[in-house]
Amino acid sequence: MTYTKDPRVDAYIDGLPGWQQNICREVRDLVHAADPEVAETIKRTRQPYFVLQGNICALLAAKDHVNVFLYDGAIVPDPEGIITAGHENKTARTVAFRQGEAINAPALTAMFRQIIANNRAGGWRKLKRDAS
């Protein structure tokens, strides 16, 4: 897959232990595969973000896992139960991956695509407001 890489995101990923690099690269490929218009950048000084008409997700490596923050306002369905934290969060939920765990690529890609569709429809804040 070909997409434009931000060298700052490369630097973030390259500075991680090998197993975390693998997770971050796989998630990066999945979010770009979800829509060819996805762009990547750095926000909050060093954190990789993936955006398309709003935030889609962000990566944050911790000591024993990698967090993928999904910016979905908790309105994107999670039928396969991949969300690991933030169930009550009003802006983002988290999928944490630990060393040796497989990424449920179809479920994560479906969530990315729904977040992108919501962004194109005005964003989760507008969708929540319109639904009430």
Side-chain angles (χ1 to χ4, degrees), residues 10-89:
D10 284 329
Y12 178 88
I13 293 171
D14 291 345
L16 301 173
W19 68 270
Q20 288 183 323
Q21 289 179 27
N22 294 338
I23 291 169
C24 289
R25 288 185 181 122
E26 184 174 351
V27 170
R28 183 189 211 182
D29 287 346
L30 290 172
V31 71
H32 281 287
D35 192 295
E37 293 182 31
V38 168
E40 53 186 57
T41 189
I42 295 290
K43 294 185 180 186
R44 299 195 165 121
T45 309
R46 61 177 287 249
Q47 193 170 353
Y49 272 72
F50 300 89
V51 298
L52 199 164
Q53 296 183 12
N55 292 332
I56 302 164
C57 68
L59 299 174
L60 181 62
K63 183 176 182 175
D64 64 347
H65 63 281
V66 173
N67 286 314
V68 179
F69 294 102
L70 301 172
Y71 289 91
D72 66 346
I75 64 172
V76 172
D78 180 23
E80 297 198 39
I82 66 171
I83 299 295
T84 56
H87 297 283
E88 304 302 318
N89 193 309

